[in-house]
Amino acid sequence: MSEVVIRLPDGSSRTLPAGSTAQDLAAAIGARLARDAVAAQVNGSLTDLATVLPDSAEVRVVTAASDAGRDVLRHSTAHVLAQAVTRLWPGAKYAIGPTIEHGFYYDFSLPNGAHFSDDDLERIDAEMRRIIAEDQPFTREEHSIAEGRALFADQPFKVEIIDGVAGEAGEGASAVSAYRNSAAFVDLCRGPHVPSTSRLGHFRLTRVAGAYWRGDEHRPQLQRIYGTAFESAAALDEHLAQLAEAERRDHRRLGQELDLFSFPSELGPGLAVFHPRGGIVRRVMEEYSRQRHEEAGYSFVYTPHISKADLFETSGHLQWFAEGMYPPMELDEGQRYYLKPMNCPFHVLIFKSRQRSYRELPLRLFEFGSVYRYEKSGVVHGLTRVRGMTQDDAHIFCSRDQMGEELAKLLKFVLDLLGDFGLHDFYLELSTRPAGKAVGSDEEWSEAESTLERVARAAALDLVLDEGGGAFYGPKISVQARDAIGRTHQISTIQLDFQTPQRFDASYVGADNRRERVIMIHRALFGSVERFLAILLEHYAGNLPTWLCPEQARVLSVRGEFEGYANEVAQRLRARGLRASTEPADEPLGSRVRRAKLDKIPYILVVGAEDAGNQTVGVNRRGATDPERGVSVDDLVERLATEVARRGAPEDL
RNA sequence: GCCUGGGUAGCUCAGCUGGUAGAGCAGCGCAUUCGUAAUGCGCAGGUCAAGGGUUCGAAUCCCUUCCCAGGCUCCA
C-alpha cells in the first residue's frame, strides 16, 4: 500500500496511507484536534474533512474556534436553518445562506406569500435542534449543470444561480456541487461543511428581516432570518452579552433615560430636539471646541441656512449632490431656494467678499453650521444619521505651498481635540477619487491624493485605503476612532479641494502681485455635533466625564432640617462654576440616592447633622463602591474644579 | 425609496380567537424626616399614532397616511 506525505503548517511532515482524508490526518495528530476539526485547508483552499489528501499536500486542519472554522460552523448552521424552514413550510423556496461578519443569514420565499414572525424563530430553532440531534451527514455531491438544474427544478433561486454558473463557465464545462443532509434536503453549495449536523448546536437565531433577491429592489422581496453560531456555549454567550451591552449603551435609549434629546414625530424623521440637559452637554462641547479653534487661529463666521439655487449650481452640489438635498422652495418670482446641505459655498463667498492677499493665508473660517440633508427615510438612525445636523465646519483657504504643513498641523489638532473628549484609539482612512462622479483633472486629483497620503503616513497611525470614497470635489482623510467596546466610528474628515475655488474663481494676490488660485481644505472634527455626542454617549455608556455632565453634583440632605446647609454647599460649588443642584428631603435618602445614580450624576453629596457642624459632606462618587464621609467642602470644591479642568471623570480615581 | 415587524398613560409594557382599557415606574396631593440604589396611602392621567371602512359593537379585522425599529448581494 502506498503512502502520502503531508506537510503541516509548523513545517513538519506526516506520512499517511494513501487515500487518507483530512479527518484521518487530524486523528493521526491528536484526538483533541480530531474532535475540534471542522474543515481543512488543503494547498490553500478550504475543503471538507472527508477530502482525500493528495501526496505532498500542504494541509492545515481548521478548528471550530478559528475565524475560518466559525465560518464553516455558521454556513453549516445556515443549511440546517434552511432544512428546518422547508420542513415547517413545505414548498418554501430557499435562496442564499451565506456567512456574514458575526453570523449568517438565509433568505427564503415562503408559499402563499407567508412571512416569518418572531414567534416563528422559536419554532424554527426547535426544528433545527431536532435536525442537529438526528446527526445528519453533510455529503458532498458533484453534478453537471444539467443535473443540477434537474435536482433543483423546484428551487427557482438555485436554478438561477446554476444558470449564472453556466453563463460564466460554459454550459457543459463546469460542475456544481451540492451538500445533502438527507433524502429530503439538499442544498446547492460550494462548501465546505462540517461532517455532520451533530457538530453544530451553539447557535441563536436573532431576527427576521426582509431583503431583496440579490439586493435588487426590482426583484422579489425575500424573507431573511439572521442568526449566529459559535464553537462553544461560552463563546456564544459572550457574543450575546456584547450585543446586550451595545443595546444598553444605545444613545437613543440613553438620550431618553437621561432626558437629553428626543425625536418628536411631529418634526419628521431624522430631526431631533435637544432638551435642557442635552443642551448643556452640547453647549459645553461647542464652547470647548470654539476655544480650541480660537487658539488654533480660526476666525468665526455665520451664514444662513438657505440660498438661491445659483450658489449650488456654481458649487456643483446641484449636479453632484442633488439627491442628498431637500427639494427647493419656489418663491413667487420663480426663484428657487435650497436648504444648505454643506457650508462650503457660503464660506467661499466670505473669502471672495473682497480681494485677498497672500499675507492673509491661511485663512481659517469656522462655523457651527446647521445643514440639512435628505437622507432616505430608511437610513435615518438616532443622532448618528439625521436630516438636520450641525457641523463643526471650517474651511481653510491657503496657498499650494502651505497646504502640506497646514494639513499636518490640522491632523495633529484633530487628534488632540478628540483625545480631550476621551477618544484615543485611532486609525486613518484615505478616500480617493470616486469613479465617474468627480470634477477636476487627473493631475489635480493625484496631487491632492498624494498630499493627503503623505500627511496621513506621517501621522504614524494605521492607514486604510477607501478606493473611490472621496467627495465629488476632492479626496479626504477620515479619522476613525475605536470606542470603549471596540466598535469603530468615522469621526473627523479632512478634505482637500482644488475644485471649488476654481468654480467660484476664488483667488488671492501673491507676493509677486499675481493672482493665484487658492486651495481649500474642508474639515469637520466632530463631524456633526449630534453624531459626536451620540458616539460619546455610547463610548461612556452614558457616564459622561464630569466636565460634560449636565449635572455634576447633587446635594441631598439627610433630613429636611439640613436643606439650608445643602443649598449652601450647592451654592459653593456653583460659585466655582460647577453645575450642582439640591433636592428636597421628602423622600427617603436611599430613594434619592438611587435616582441620582440612575441619572448618572458624577457626585452625589449627602449632608447631615455631622456635616452641617463641620463644613463637610459625604461624597458618593460615581463608580465608587463606598461613600466617603466627612470630606471638607473646601477640598471637595477643589477636587471637582480640578477634575473639570483636566476633563476627567469620577471613575478615573 | 422598498420589505418585514411595530405604534396602547410621560416611560416600560399587559390586554386570548371583536363585547368598549390595565400594571409598574414617573407625575400630583397628603403623611413620613430618613446617613448613601426603591417609605406609605391616595389622586389624576389614554379620540388605544391619524383618518377611513367592515360590524349591533373595533385597541383587536380591512384600507390609506404618519412615525419607530431591523434589514435591503463581505455573491451557491
Side-chain angles (χ1 to χ4, degrees):
Chain A
M1 188 178 197
S2 60
E3 294 179 322
V4 291
V5 178
I6 304 302
R7 281 181 292 142
L8 297 174
D10 64 359
S12 67
S13 300
R14 290 242 167 200
T15 305
L16 295 170
S20 294
T21 63
Q23 181 70 53
D24 297 332
L25 172 69
I29 295 172
R32 188 194 168 115
L33 186 64
R35 197 175 62 239
D36 291 345
V38 291
Q41 197 173 8
V42 178
N43 294 328
S45 51
L46 270 184
T47 181
D48 298 312
L49 286 173
T51 303
V52 173
L53 300 175
D55 190 23
S56 72
E58 268 185 59
V59 181
R60 174 192 298 273
V61 175
V62 174
T63 59
S66 64
D67 287 346
R70 263 174 231 119
D71 276 354
V72 172
L73 286 180
R74 289 167 183 167
H75 201 175
S76 296
T77 306
H79 278 226
V80 173
L81 165 61
Q83 183 178 172
V85 168
T86 56
R87 280 187 182 184
L88 294 170
W89 282 268
K93 310 300 179 202
Y94 41 108
I96 57 168
T99 60
I100 51 175
E101 193 176 346
H102 294 294
F104 62 86
Y105 65 82
Y106 214 115
D107 286 345
F108 301 93
S109 169
L110 299 182
N112 308 316
H115 49 74
F116 297 123
S117 72
D118 287 349
D119 301 339
D120 293 330
L121 286 185
E122 277 178 49
R123 296 171 53 210
I124 297 166
D125 184 287
E127 192 63 36
M128 287 172 70
R129 289 185 199 283
R130 269 192 283 279
I131 292 167
I132 288 167
E134 287 167 17
D135 191 15
Q136 299 179 1
F138 277 87
T139 310
R140 186 181 174 92
E141 300 175 353
E142 308 268 346
H143 298 283
S144 68
I145 295 287
E147 286 167 353
R149 285 203 184 101
L151 182 61
F152 293 103
D154 60 345
Q155 291 294 334
F157 301 108
K158 299 297 175 188
V159 170
E160 188 174 328
I161 293 164
I162 294 171
D163 288 345
V165 173
E168 272 172 36
E171 193 68 25
S174 92
V176 293
S177 59
Y179 281 78
R180 180 175 292 281
N181 287 118
S182 67
F185 185 78
V186 61
D187 193 1
L188 184 71
C189 186
R190 260 202 274 264
H193 283 286
V194 295
S196 154
T197 58
S198 64
R199 298 297 306 275
L200 309 172
H202 306 297
F203 72 90
R204 173 74 67 92
L205 300 182
T206 48
R207 64 177 79 94
V208 303
Y212 297 105
W213 170 232
R214 306 225 139 148
D216 182 345
E217 63 189 77
H218 303 297
R219 312 198 63 177
Q221 180 91 23
L222 303 175
Q223 291 284 311
R224 176 171 295 181
I225 293 178
Y226 281 91
T228 191
F230 281 87
E231 68 277 12
S232 67
L236 175 63
D237 287 347
E238 191 189 326
H239 176 73
L240 296 174
Q242 271 172 22
L243 293 183
E245 177 63 19
E247 159 111 27
R248 199 175 68 78
R249 287 170 179 254
D250 190 317
H251 74 276
R252 293 167 299 180
R253 164 201 285 259
L254 290 167
Q256 161 101 284
E257 287 172 357
L258 302 178
D259 194 15
L260 301 176
F261 50 81
S262 59
F263 297 89
S265 58
E266 290 84 345
L267 297 186
L271 299 169
V273 291
F274 280 76
H275 303 184
R277 296 176 84 87
I280 290 173
V281 183
R282 248 189 104 142
R283 201 194 73 222
V284 173
M285 289 169 64
E286 292 177 0
E287 279 173 359
Y288 183 65
S289 166
R290 280 202 188 87
Q291 179 201 322
R292 292 296 308 267
H293 278 87
E294 187 162 19
E295 289 163 9
Y298 285 77
S299 309
F300 297 82
V301 299
Y302 296 87
T303 66
H305 290 196
I306 61 171
S307 134
K308 288 192 294 189
D310 309 27
L311 182 72
F312 298 114
E313 298 280 7
T314 306
S315 67
H317 284 91
L318 282 174
Q319 189 185 350
W320 300 103
F321 198 74
E323 64 188 26
M325 294 171 66
Y326 272 89
M329 290 167 260
E330 305 272 354
L331 300 195
D332 293 339
E333 315 84 70
Q335 191 65 257
R336 287 179 303 140
Y337 277 78
Y338 282 91
L339 276 166
K340 66 174 170 183
M342 295 185 194
N343 301 300
C344 27
F346 297 76
H347 291 183
V348 181
L349 296 181
I350 295 171
F351 179 86
K352 279 190 53 174
S353 64
R354 62 175 168 75
Q355 200 164 57
R356 298 288 175 179
S357 153
Y358 73 98
R359 297 170 195 273
E360 295 180 78
L361 306 184
L363 180 65
R364 307 180 186 94
L365 303 181
F366 179 96
E367 174 179 21
F368 277 109
S370 295
V371 298
Y372 296 88
R373 295 184 185 174
Y374 184 72
E375 300 286 356
K376 289 199 290 181
S377 68
V379 306
V380 299
H381 177 90
L383 286 180
T384 58
R385 195 77 183 263
V386 291
R387 284 179 168 175
M389 61 175 159
T390 303
Q391 295 182 303
D392 60 331
D393 205 3
H395 296 89
I396 301 173
F397 297 87
C398 64
S399 68
R400 245 185 166 81
D401 355 321
Q402 289 171 327
M403 69 183 179
E405 188 192 336
E406 188 64 20
L407 285 166
K409 206 159 77 178
L410 177 55
L411 191 54
K412 187 169 176 307
F413 177 52
V414 173
L415 299 179
D416 196 52
L417 183 76
L418 295 181
D420 286 343
F421 284 91
L423 298 171
H424 301 286
D425 189 358
F426 303 114
Y427 68 93
L428 302 177
E429 197 169 273
L430 178 65
S431 301
T432 57
R433 180 174 192 166
K437 253 204 113 174
V439 292
S441 70
D442 293 351
E443 296 73 44
E444 288 166 331
W445 272 89
S446 62
E447 183 183 353
E449 287 173 4
S450 62
T451 305
L452 281 179
E453 183 171 351
R454 204 166 51 243
V455 170
R457 298 241 179 254
L461 291 168
D462 287 343
L463 181 65
V464 175
L465 198 64
D466 170 30
E467 201 75 54
F472 68 83
Y473 49 78
K476 70 176 179 196
I477 296 177
S478 52
V479 178
Q480 313 276 333
R482 255 177 284 269
D483 71 9
I485 57 172
R487 297 174 303 181
T488 62
H489 307 272
Q490 176 179 310
I491 316 245
S492 315
T493 56
I494 300 173
Q495 296 172 327
L496 189 50
D497 179 6
F498 296 166
Q499 308 311 322
T500 306
Q502 289 176 31
R503 300 182 74 98
F504 281 91
D505 191 20
S507 57
Y508 62 93
V509 178
D512 57 0
N513 200 28
R514 292 224 311 245
R515 288 180 91 86
E516 299 288 344
R517 183 68 70 213
V518 76
I519 305 290
M520 268 175 90
I521 299 168
H522 306 237
R523 34 111 297 163
L525 308 194
F526 295 157
S528 89
V529 181
E530 292 83 354
R531 182 178 142 81
F532 190 63
L533 173 57
I535 291 167
L536 289 182
L537 277 174
E538 300 199 356
H539 177 61
Y540 288 113
N543 295 305
L544 291 170
T546 309
W547 69 292
L548 289 171
C549 274
E551 189 178 347
Q552 295 164 325
R554 187 177 294 174
V555 191
L556 307 177
S557 53
V558 171
R559 291 200 308 276
E561 61 181 291
F562 310 115
E563 280 176 19
Y565 179 63
N567 280 322
E568 200 183 302
V569 171
Q571 203 48 55
R572 289 278 305 279
L573 289 161
R574 285 196 287 262
R576 199 56 204 277
L578 295 158
R579 294 183 286 274
S581 68
T582 56
E583 193 182 12
D586 46 14
E587 271 180 283
L589 180 63
S591 168
R592 286 175 288 149
V593 168
R594 176 174 188 270
R595 198 161 45 241
K597 288 282 184 191
L598 291 174
D599 287 344
K600 304 188 191 290
I601 310 291
Y603 290 91
I604 302 165
L605 307 174
V606 174
V607 297
E610 292 170 26
D611 299 297
N614 302 325
Q615 288 290 300
T616 60
V617 292
V619 178
N620 189 327
R621 183 166 59 86
R622 199 179 68 198
T625 45
D626 297 306
E628 285 174 78
R629 291 286 295 273
V631 176
S632 94
V633 176
D634 289 338
D635 287 354
L636 175 83
V637 170
E638 280 318 303
R639 255 169 71 177
L640 295 204
T642 307
E643 184 168 294
V644 166
R646 62 177 181 77
R647 291 176 295 278
E651 289 87 350
D652 296 343
L653 293 176

